[in-house]
Amino acid sequence: MISAERIPNNVGLSSNKRLQRALEHWQPKYIQWWRDMGPQGFQDYHQVYVRTAVSVDPSGWAHFEYVKLPEYRWGIFLADPVHDRRIGFGDFMGTPVWQEVPGEFRNQLRRLVVTQGDTEPASVEQQRWLGQRCPSLYDLRNLFQVNVEEGRHLWAMVYLLHSYFGRDGRDEAEELLERQSGNRDKPRILDAFNEPIENWLDFFMFTMFTDRDGKSQLLSLSESSLDPLSRTTRFMLTEEAHHMFVGETGISRILERTCQLMKGAGYSGDVRKLGGIDLETLQKFINLWFSLSLDLHGNEVSTNAASYFANGLKGRAYEEKWDDHKVTEAMYELELLAEGKLERRHIPMRTAMNEVLRDWYVGDCQAGVTRWNRILERNGFSDRLRLPDRKFNRGIGMFSAVHFDPEGHQLSDADWDRRKHEWLPSVTDREYLMSIQAAPVYEPGKFANYIAPPQRGIKGQPVTFEYVRTEA
Ligand SMILES: [Fe+2]
Ligand SMILES: [Fe+2]
């Protein structure tokens, strides 16, 4: 029997028998999925110091305690309603937001919820082996915090499917547990969520760049005319911020350590000889995860994106900051590939909404890379990390037909094949990373050689705190 204690929520679950029954039916399958596909080796004997959302006010969602992962209380939360909220953009601008799904947009909205929902369990699956190679208990705990919150995001989307999409929604909720990251027959919907995350550099870059695509998508869904979707995604954004913190500071700490090692070797040594991660490798992983995450924003020119905007299903990031919310006349200038040649063209902005969101995303990523470069600067290095051109290594959109180098110069297929490992991780790079991550670090306060300790611990605890403990 499900109680509010077991599933913390602010959606009145105990007074909604139909929903309660539907979730009672789904929950055991979720727990089985978590055991099969969640953190491997950390199900029964480990207690993790995690944050559990027990309400939406700031004191309630920052509740910390030790829990065994399968006993985590995955809750359902909607951000507080906005009084008299009106649709803020598109053709229905100014009319009241919807509390139910209009029949004519049912398929489109279901697709949006399912696509978002599919990414949540996918990332848990991708990351399930990382606990066996963790650089510290602090990092292990952060990994699990991200994992349980992605699990909660799945709950959030399943709540929407069960509450607003009837029988189809229930079927979709089942399928969210059936597709599997990287599975050849039943893969996850989006490519970046089928890529393996086998080492901690992948993990930090994923949380920096791919979770930031999550932020892009959640920002645009939080503008939605469908009020329950808007309120659900608004609350998810608070958790997403922590995931990006894990990624950005993880790389910052690796950079800090790399600088120390380079300085120790008289500014000239081969960092790999000292067991560190060299700047070239960091740059390759930026190139990989940034380009994969750019793809998640979709085609440059998209009639779907135009219709999502026109119908108020998906807005722009921070829609209120724009002057024109109807966007019926506005044009947008973008670089595109026409008959094999690059050129700049103006197209109706509504059809460029994916590109508009991608612009926001690139700017947000760039700010993070600039912060990383300050570490190099402070340590007296002239090297800099950078984002590759957005045409580089694309698998979706018009630039996927041709190859480009990280500066955006077009390349022949032969040149690309010959040179791609100058820019993307090679087998040797991956083997090296696995070699320095072969032994996990489970001793409180100790850190792997390639990463510096964080500046502070979690929730006022010292860095030496036992963030994950094993039951005797
Ligand atoms: Fe998420
Ligand atoms: Fe996330």
Side-chain angles (χ1 to χ4, degrees):
M1 185 66 197
I2 289 177
S3 67
E5 180 55 26
R6 189 76 194 91
I7 305 180
N9 70 89
N10 68 350
V11 296
L13 196 54
S14 58
S15 60
N16 186 340
K17 292 289 169 241
R18 195 188 56 78
L19 177 61
Q20 212 181 341
R21 264 199 308 277
L23 291 175
E24 273 172 3
H25 186 68
W26 187 78
Q27 191 193 37
K29 297 180 191 178
Y30 171 82
I31 298 293
Q32 193 56 49
W33 165 80
W34 178 272
R35 286 187 168 278
D36 294 343
M37 297 304 291
Q40 299 296 298
F42 295 91
Q43 298 282 347
D44 291 310
Y45 305 108
H46 295 81
Q47 303 250 10
V48 187
Y49 188 68
V50 283
R51 161 176 97 168
T52 305
V54 292
S55 77
V56 288
D57 55 85
S59 62
W61 74 275
H63 172 84
F64 283 75
E65 62 188 343
Y66 275 109
V67 293
K68 287 185 184 172
L69 293 178
E71 290 166 13
Y72 186 79
R73 293 184 299 149
W74 284 280
I76 301 169
F77 293 101
L78 273 59
D80 288 334
V82 173
H83 176 68
D84 192 32
R85 184 172 168 246
R86 305 263 156 172
I87 297 174
F89 61 94
D91 296 344
F92 304 112
M93 186 169 159
T95 61
V97 289
W98 314 323
Q99 299 305 331
E100 291 294 333
V101 176
E104 65 268 45
F105 304 130
R106 192 183 174 89
N107 287 347
Q108 281 185 317
L109 281 164
R110 193 183 60 220
R111 188 83 325 240
L112 286 173
V113 170
V114 167
T115 307
Q116 178 63 42
D118 193 68
T119 66
E120 316 289 359
S123 67
V124 176
E125 293 167 354
Q126 285 170 292
Q127 296 163 14
R128 70 186 187 279
W129 294 104
L130 290 176
Q132 324 250 348
R133 300 190 259 281
C134 69
S136 72
L137 287 185
Y138 167 89
D139 291 290
L140 185 64
R141 177 266 168 208
N142 281 348
L143 166 70
F144 294 154
Q145 182 71 55
V146 171
N147 291 162
V148 292
E149 284 174 354
E150 300 303 5
R152 204 202 67 72
H153 292 175
L154 172 61
W155 272 87
M157 293 297 114
V158 164
Y159 158 76
L160 292 175
L161 289 169
H162 276 152
S163 303
Y164 299 97
F165 294 91
R167 161 119 229 146
D168 302 353
R170 288 198 293 280
D171 291 345
E172 294 283 9
E174 304 276 310
E175 284 172 40
L176 285 169
L177 296 176
E178 286 162 13
R179 285 185 290 272
Q180 278 179 5
S181 178
N183 184 303
R184 216 172 326 152
D185 303 322
K186 279 200 155 190
R188 290 295 175 184
I189 297 170
L190 302 168
D191 285 346
F193 293 89
N194 287 304
E195 291 288 318
I197 297 184
E198 48 185 26
N199 66 67
W200 280 73
L201 192 49
D202 280 320
F203 173 66
F204 290 135
M205 292 297 183
F206 181 95
T207 39
M208 172 74 178
F209 292 111
T210 310
D211 281 277
R212 194 174 307 273
D213 158 72
K215 183 179 172 188
S216 280
Q217 304 305 330
L218 293 176
L219 282 171
S220 82
L221 293 173
S222 70
E223 301 289 340
S224 183
S225 315
L226 180 61
D227 204 40
L229 175 60
S230 161
R231 292 173 58 201
T232 306
T233 46
R234 242 190 304 142
F235 184 67
M236 289 161 74
L237 278 164
T238 56
E239 293 161 320
E240 213 55 61
H242 174 256
H243 306 176
M244 287 174 290
F245 163 85
V246 169
E248 183 175 333
T249 57
I251 300 297
S252 295
R253 290 161 48 215
I254 289 177
L255 262 178
E256 199 67 68
R257 181 65 181 147
T258 298
C259 288
Q260 281 172 13
L261 291 169
M262 289 197 288
K263 283 202 269 191
Y267 289 85
S268 59
D270 176 352
V271 179
R272 285 197 184 184
K273 279 198 195 117
L274 304 166
I277 300 179
D278 48 291
L279 296 178
E280 295 74 31
T281 302
L282 284 164
Q283 183 62 58
K284 288 181 186 182
F285 278 80
I286 291 174
N287 294 347
L288 174 66
W289 285 104
F290 177 69
S291 56
L292 284 169
S293 307
L294 284 176
D295 279 344
L296 294 172
H297 291 73
N299 285 311
E300 291 81 8
V301 184
S302 164
T303 50
N304 268 343
S307 128
Y308 289 157
F309 186 85
N311 297 326
L313 313 186
K314 237 182 130 175
R316 289 167 292 188
Y318 305 107
E319 183 63 46
E320 78 281 0
K321 291 190 184 163
W322 294 80
D323 294 326
D324 170 14
H325 301 288
K326 294 231 168 192
V327 199
T328 44
E329 311 291 319
M331 301 296 278
Y332 178 87
E333 188 188 344
L334 82 171
E335 188 175 34
L336 49 73
L337 204 55
E339 282 138 38
K341 285 218 165 64
L342 285 174
E343 55 179 62
R344 299 199 75 83
R345 265 197 211 160
H346 287 86
I347 64 166
M349 193 188 233
R350 279 191 176 188
T351 59
M353 284 303 173
N354 286 341
E355 199 60 15
V356 172
L357 193 57
R358 194 159 20 233
D359 288 339
W360 175 85
Y361 173 78
V362 171
D364 211 46
C365 289
Q366 183 55 56
V369 173
T370 303
R371 288 189 289 272
W372 286 341
N373 280 332
R374 287 202 199 109
I375 297 172
L376 289 166
E377 198 177 342
R378 183 159 36 75
N379 280 283
F381 290 93
S382 57
D383 313 72
R384 294 292 178 262
L385 297 169
R386 56 182 63 83
L387 294 177
D389 186 275
R390 64 170 90 182
K391 300 187 288 299
F392 171 78
N393 191 40
R394 293 294 300 280
I396 301 255
M398 62 180 82
F399 303 123
S400 61
V402 190
H403 294 298
F404 296 89
D405 71 11
E407 275 72 49
H409 304 122
Q410 210 167 319
L411 294 172
S412 69
D413 289 0
D415 281 345
W416 169 258
D417 286 337
R418 196 163 45 80
R419 299 189 60 193
K420 66 180 172 197
H421 289 303
E422 290 174 31
W423 309 309
L424 291 169
S426 64
V427 174
T428 321
D429 296 326
R430 292 195 167 278
E431 281 171 359
Y432 173 69
L433 291 170
M434 290 299 256
S435 77
I436 58 171
Q437 297 176 13
V441 180
Y442 293 143
E443 201 180 321
K446 288 268 183 295
F447 288 82
N449 177 54
Y450 64 85
I451 191 166
Q455 277 163 2
R456 60 189 70 81
I458 291 150
K459 187 68 180 167
Q461 302 290 0
V463 170
T464 53
F465 186 71
E466 193 173 11
Y467 289 102
V468 178
R469 62 185 189 203
T470 311
E471 270 194 353

